[in-house]
Amino acid sequence: MSDQDLFAYPRGRLHAADKDLAASLQAMVQKEVMDKRLELKEDYDGLLAPSLARLMAEVGLQKMFWPEKLGGEEHNEPEAAYTVAAALEQIGRADVGLAFLAAHSLALQAAVAAKGSCREELCAAVAPLFCEGNRPLIVSFVLPAMSQDGGAPEWRGKGIQVRAKSGPEGWTLSGKAVRPTCSGADAGLFGVLCAVDGEEPAFILVPGDSHGISREKEFLKTGLAASRNADLDFEGVKVPAANCAWRGEEGFLNLLSWFYLGLAAAGSGALLAVYEIIKEWGDNRVIKGRGQVFKENPLTAALMGEIAKEIAVDRLLAYNLADILSDPQAYGDDGPLAVFTSALMLVHHIYVSAEYTIHRTMELMASAGYAREWQLERYWRDLKTVQCYLGAYELAKHDFARRFYHTKTL
Amino acid sequence: MRTIDDITRPLDYLPPAAQILSPIIRNWADNEVIPYRRQFDEDWEDHTLIHPPGKKLLGEYGIQKLLFPVDLGGMGFGESDYAFTSMFILGEEMARADSGLAVGLGVTLWPLMSIALKPHVNRRLLEEFAPLYCNTTEMISGALCMTEPQGGADIENVELLKGSTIQTTAVRDGDEWVINGHKLWPSNTGGMADLLVVVCTTNPGSRDPADVTLIFVPGDLPGVTQSGPYEKAGMACDKNGDVWLENVRVPLWYRAHGPGKDALFFLDIISIASGVTISFTSGMMMNVYERLLEFVNETKLHGRPLKENDAVAGVLADYTATLEVIRIVGYQAARMLDRSDLYGERWSPEMMAKMRSYRYFTMDRCLDVMGKVMNLMEAYGADRDRDIEKHWRDIKMNQLWLGGKQLCQIEAARWFFECETL
C-alpha cells in the first residue's frame, strides 16, 4: 500500500483509465517536478512552464472534454468529474500552481463542452485553441470581485469587472484595472463574466491576443508561481457573437462548480505532499535527547494524528464533490444553484482545513517549516494564495445563507 | 481618522524616553524602510537594499550602543528599570516596517544581554566589546549560536535536558578556550556576524548546568566559518546560516560568567526573547491595521465601503480586538521583565513559563486573525503591494523560532501544573 492509499477515497468509483491517468501523472510529476525542486525551486521558465506544457498539451488535459471531431478526446460525460479530481490531486501534490491553472482549463471545458450541452458553433470556435498544435493554452477567468468602483453592476454583491455590449458584429468589452484569477500576463484565453446593460450577464470567451487587451506588468504575490498574474485593461475588445458561452446564471454556476472541484482536488493533493513531509520528519527527527523520534512523543504524535485526520477528511470531501458533479440527481437534483452551493461549501471547508493543517505541520517542524529546502512553506504559500483567489470566506457564508435560509437582501 | 496610535498600550508602563524614542524609530521606518520593503524578498542574499536602513539605525543613530554603559560610549539601558519596555517600543516600531529587520537589529543586542543587564553585568567583557559597537557608525551584527544539527530546540529545553545534548565543546587549554562545533540557524549569520555568543559544553553529555558555557567569539577569528544564508519563506532581512567552529581559540575571560551562571543567564535571554518577540507581533499587526484600513475604506461591496458590511465588520472587529489584547499583553510582559523585584527573576522557571505562554498565545491569536483578513481581501490579500501577505509570512516565522510552539506549551504546563517528567 502506498502512502497515498492510506487516505481513503472512493476508488471504486474511478474507472480504470482514471486510475491509470493518476498513476502516470504521479510518476511524471515526481520525476519532472518534485525531483527537480531543490535545484529549480519556483523557476517559471526552467521548471513550471515546461511542466505545464507537458501536462496540458502532451498529456492532453486541455483536450479532454472537446469532441473528437474537433481534435479532443471527448471524455465529457459527468463521470469525468472523477477524472478531474484524480488528475488534479496528483498535480497539486507536486505544484499547486500547475493544478490551479489546469483547474481553469478543465472547468471551462466541462462547462462548455460537456456531453449534451456543447454548442457546435462555440466549440468549433474555441476547441482549436485547445486541440491544435502542441502548445499549452493557459485559461484565465475574470470573475466578479470587490472593487473600488462602487457603481459597477453586481453579481451576488460583488462588482462585475467588465461591461459588454452586443452589436451586429459581435460583442465589445470594456473594463479598467481588471484583476483575473490567474495568468494575466500570459493567458491565451479569458473567460469573462460581463455586465450587459439591462440584461442578464454574459459569459464571454476572449482570446488573449484580441486587439484592445493591454496587460500590466506581472505583480508579485504570495505563491502560485506558475500563475504569472497581471491586471488587465479591456478597451473596446471585440469578439464574435459566438464567443458568448451563455447568458444568465446557470452556466456560470456550473462553471464555478467545476472550478471548485479542481481547486478542491489540488488542495487535497497538496495535503498528501504535506503528509509525506511530516511523515519523514516524524520518522527521523530525534527529540529530548533520548533517542526518541518525533512520532513517538505523545504531544507531537497527537498533532501528527490530527494532521492526518484533516487530510483524510479533506480528501473524502474533494472526491465527494466529484461524486456530486458526476451524478447531481443522486444528491437531490435541486439544480445548479444547489450544486454550486455544495461545491462552494466543500472547497472553502478544504482550504480552511488546509491552512489549519499546514500551520500545525509548520509548528512541528519549527525552522524547517519555513526553510525553502524543506518544501513545506511553498505549499503553505500556494494554498493560502488559492484561498484568497477563491474569495472571502465571510462572503461565501452569505451564499450558504441564501441557500439554506432563503435570505433576500444579502 | 483612526490611526495606530489609537491602539492601547499601558501608558503608566512607558519609559520616560518613550516620547523621544518612538518618533525617531517611526520616522526611520516610514522613510528608510517602508518605501523599499517590497523589494526586500529578492535581496535576501546580497542585502544591497536591506543594509542601508540597518546601518542608519544601528550605526548612525547608535541603537547598537543601547546596552553599553554611558561611560563606555553606550546609552546605559542595560542598567535601566525600563530596558525591556524601551526595547518593546523599539521592536514594535521596527517590526511595523519589517519584522525581519527588527529581528536582525534586535539580535545584535540579544547576546550582549547575557553580560550587560543588571544584575549580571560583566564589566570586563563590556569594556572589551564597547569599541566594536560604540566607536563606529557602521552596523555591527551580533549572533547567538544555540541550535545544533542533532536536536533542534533541545538546547533551548534547558530545564529538562540541562545542556546534555549540546555537542559544541569548549575545552580549556591554558589561558584559552578551544571551541569546536557546528551551529545552525543563528540570526545575523549567513556571513554577516561580527560577534558570536556560542552555547557550548565543557563536558559533553553532562547534565550539570555548571558545564554549560556562553562564550564570546569574534566573527573574524581563525576557525570560524559562516555559510551563505538559507533561503526562507520570508524575513529576508534576517540572514540565517550554518556556523562551523574549528579549534577556535578565545581567552578564558570571554566566557560570559562562569559555572552555573552561564546556564542561568542563557535562560534569562531565552525568557527575554520570548517576551520581546511579542513586540514584533504587535508591530506587524499595527501595520496590517493601517493597510487594512485603507483597503476597507476604498473597496466597495454592494456599492458601499467594505467596512460597512456587517459580516466584514465582524472580522475587522476580531482583528482589532486581538491587536488590542496582544499589545497590552506584550507591554505587560516587558514590564514584568523590567520589574524582577515584583515579578521574580527573569530566568526563573516561573518567568520562563509565563513568557513562553504569552508568546505562543499571542502568536496563535495573531495568525488566526491575520489569515482571516488576508482572505477577506480576496485576490488582493496575496499581493506583495498590499503588504499584508509579507507580515503573514513573517509572523509565522516569528512563531517558529526559539524552539517553536510545542516547547512553549511544555514549559508552560511544566510550571503551572508542576509536571515532573515532561
Side-chain angles (χ1 to χ4, degrees), chain A residues 41 146-147 154 157-158 179 220-222 285 288 303 359 363 370 372 377 384 388 391-394, chain B residues 152 154 161 231-233 300-303 306 315 371 375-376 378 382-384 389 396-397 399 406:
Chain A
K41 299 173 184 169
M146 293 184 285
S147 72
E154 293 180 359
K158 294 184 184 175
R179 170 63 55 96
L220 297 168
K221 58 190 182 331
T222 310
R285 188 68 173 172
K288 290 195 171 182
L303 263 174
H359 273 296
E363 286 155 18
Y370 57 78
R372 294 241 162 146
E377 62 85 32
K384 186 66 185 176
C388 287
Y393 185 36
E394 291 307 311
Chain B
D154 278 351
L161 300 173
E231 193 173 2
K232 305 171 298 186
K300 305 291 191 299
L301 183 70
H302 287 304
L306 189 57
V315 178
N375 175 238
L376 186 65
E378 300 199 328
D383 270 16
R384 178 83 65 86
E389 68 89 32
K396 188 69 191 172
M397 299 173 67
Q399 183 199 35
Q406 279 71 48

Side-chain angles (χ1 to χ4, degrees), chain B residues 11-32:
Chain B
L11 298 176
D12 43 338
Y13 289 177
L14 297 186
Q19 299 298 329
I20 302 167
L21 198 57
S22 293
I24 291 172
I25 310 301
R26 187 169 298 179
N27 185 57
W28 164 84
D30 286 337
N31 293 299
E32 309 294 334

Side-chain angles (χ1 to χ4, degrees), chain A residues 88-111:
Chain A
L88 292 187
E89 188 178 60
Q90 293 307 326
I91 299 169
R93 173 177 161 264
D95 188 278
V96 179
L98 291 173
F100 185 63
L101 298 190
H104 283 77
S105 176
L106 289 165
L108 185 66
Q109 292 179 59

